[in-house]
Amino acid sequence: MEGIRHRMVNVNGISMHVAEKGEGPVILFLHGFPELWYTWRHQILALSSLGYHAVAPDLRGYGDTEAPTAITSYSCMHIVGDLVALIDSLGVEQVFLVAHDWGAIIGWYLCLFRPDRVKAFVCLSVPFMPRKPQMKPVESMRLFFGDDYYICRFQEPGKIEAEIARYGASNVLKKIISSRKPGPPCMPKDNAFGIKPDTPITLPSWFSEEDLSYYANKFNKKGFTGALNYYRAFDLNWEQTAPWTNTQVKVPVKFIVGDLDSVYTTPGMKEYVNGGDFKRDAPMLDEVVIMEGVGHFINQERADEINSHIHDFIKSF
């Protein structure tokens, strides 16, 4: 991690931790759940060496960034507001955007609300999800996937936090990061994370005990509530984005996903990504890359390939 600078920035009424390296055009990296700026460590080092200013914040509620208590403080409007303020603080008009998981969801909102601030978007794992006005998203997920669907299980404040505390942050993080189970991800009531004390969890080769320790220390200090509040604001986002119903995302996009990703293997997702609807909703979608034998945490599992994909796309702008 040599040469990565860390600083705090005041954005949108909160204090945000930012990791950065390099000089040149800005690449803004947005992490997902349950992660931190640290997920982008390989990309920060690689892209900064190629003449870019790599910037990776801990998003609101995560790591060393402030975590407001109210669920309503985690709407897409708040998070995008944080990012626009961060971009302003960097003194640039536009950034290249690279995002994964929840970061990708927020990235799509940033492109939807403020396309003027994004030169191009490399999106990992989660495609654009157009607003469906007929039904609130959590109700829809419950109908399709049942009460044990992970997003439904995350809704009640304090409940999943208590289950995480029961097994310990380190074991839960290890289980999530090492999982190769296809979607939709479900969490049974008796053992949400499927952790068995007599069955050790083996970390994948691309995620070390040192990496796990960094994550666990930050989540033990901060807790998981801020991170989980993104899921609890799903319906609030649906309400707030009513004015953008049927609006296309007009930003150049490259989408990359692993064929073992629990998002991509959720029913309906492959059809959406490959069947023409994704291109209809994001008409400037330039390329879809399906990486074989790769799971959800694609930027860590296949760091070198993802670094090349990012550079190959953004260097043309």
Side-chain angles (χ1 to χ4, degrees):
M1 300 304 102
E2 195 176 326
I4 295 178
R5 304 185 303 275
H6 296 267
R7 62 190 175 99
M8 302 300 294
V9 186
N10 289 319
V11 297
N12 193 25
I14 66 165
S15 182
M16 173 176 270
H17 166 249
V18 174
E20 60 188 336
K21 186 174 185 185
E23 303 293 334
V26 174
I27 307 176
L28 179 61
F29 293 94
L30 307 180
H31 69 80
F33 176 90
E35 299 207 84
L36 303 158
W37 74 269
Y38 187 88
T39 187
W40 300 112
R41 59 199 178 282
H42 307 298
Q43 286 72 41
I44 292 170
L45 297 176
L47 276 301
S48 64
S49 73
L50 292 169
Y52 294 91
H53 179 186
V55 178
D58 283 333
L59 294 177
R60 173 183 290 239
Y62 284 88
D64 294 323
T65 292
E66 202 170 321
T69 53
I71 292 169
T72 51
S73 295
Y74 291 84
S75 76
C76 56
M77 294 294 176
H78 287 85
I79 317 295
V80 171
D82 298 345
L83 297 175
V84 171
L86 175 59
I87 295 167
D88 286 343
S89 79
L90 296 167
V92 296
E93 283 298 312
Q94 289 191 308
V95 297
F96 292 113
L97 183 64
V98 179
H100 173 256
D101 189 80
W102 252 108
I105 296 173
I106 297 301
W108 286 113
Y109 282 129
L110 176 60
C111 292
L112 189 65
F113 302 155
R114 296 300 305 270
D116 57 308
R117 306 310 297 266
V118 182
K119 279 186 210 170
F121 180 21
V122 178
C123 178
L124 309 181
S125 181
V126 182
F128 181 62
M129 295 187 287
R131 183 181 185 275
K132 294 180 172 59
Q134 302 85 357
M135 191 183 292
K136 289 186 176 183
V138 175
E139 184 185 349
S140 175
M141 291 169 197
R142 210 179 291 281
L143 192 66
F144 279 102
F145 304 126
D147 290 340
D148 286 351
Y149 185 58
Y150 78 111
I151 292 172
C152 301
R153 291 276 272 118
F154 285 177
Q155 291 305 305
E156 188 179 330
K159 195 157 188 181
I160 207 74
E161 287 94 326
E163 296 193 43
I164 292 169
R166 180 177 155 200
Y167 294 105
S170 183
N171 284 327
V172 169
L173 290 163
K174 190 187 282 194
K175 185 70 176 179
I176 293 171
I177 286 162
S178 63
S179 175
R180 310 289 279 187
K181 195 176 177 184
C186 289
M187 309 178 86
K189 297 279 190 295
D190 58 334
N191 187 343
F193 299 98
I195 295 170
K196 297 169 185 172
D198 55 346
T199 309
I201 305 161
T202 305
L203 281 174
S205 60
W206 43 265
F207 197 81
S208 70
E209 287 290 345
E210 186 184 4
D211 298 332
L212 178 64
S213 177
Y214 187 90
Y215 273 49
N217 287 339
K218 293 297 182 185
F219 278 99
N220 279 326
K221 182 180 170 189
K222 179 71 76 180
F224 283 82
T225 298
L228 291 163
N229 281 345
Y230 284 65
Y231 295 94
R232 293 165 184 157
F234 249 121
D235 283 351
L236 176 59
N237 292 342
W238 180 85
E239 292 170 14
Q240 291 182 339
T241 54
W244 286 271
T245 303
N246 297 326
T247 303
Q248 293 176 314
V249 177
K250 301 274 183 80
V251 168
V253 179
K254 179 175 187 171
F255 178 70
I256 310 169
V257 68
D259 66 350
L260 303 179
D261 191 315
S262 59
V263 176
Y264 188 61
T265 53
T266 292
M269 198 59 80
K270 290 180 185 178
E271 292 78 5
Y272 176 74
V273 168
N274 302 307
D277 288 351
F278 188 14
K279 179 75 172 175
R280 177 202 63 208
D281 295 332
M284 297 174 78
L285 178 65
D286 185 75
E287 187 180 0
V288 170
V289 179
I290 314 296
M291 293 178 69
E292 290 186 15
V294 187
H296 182 65
F297 298 95
I298 191 167
N299 55 300
Q300 297 183 82
E301 184 175 349
R302 293 285 182 88
D304 291 345
E305 287 171 70
I306 292 298
N307 297 343
S308 296
H309 276 301
I310 294 167
H311 188 236
D312 289 347
F313 187 56
I314 68 174
K315 71 182 181 185
S316 61
F317 293 90

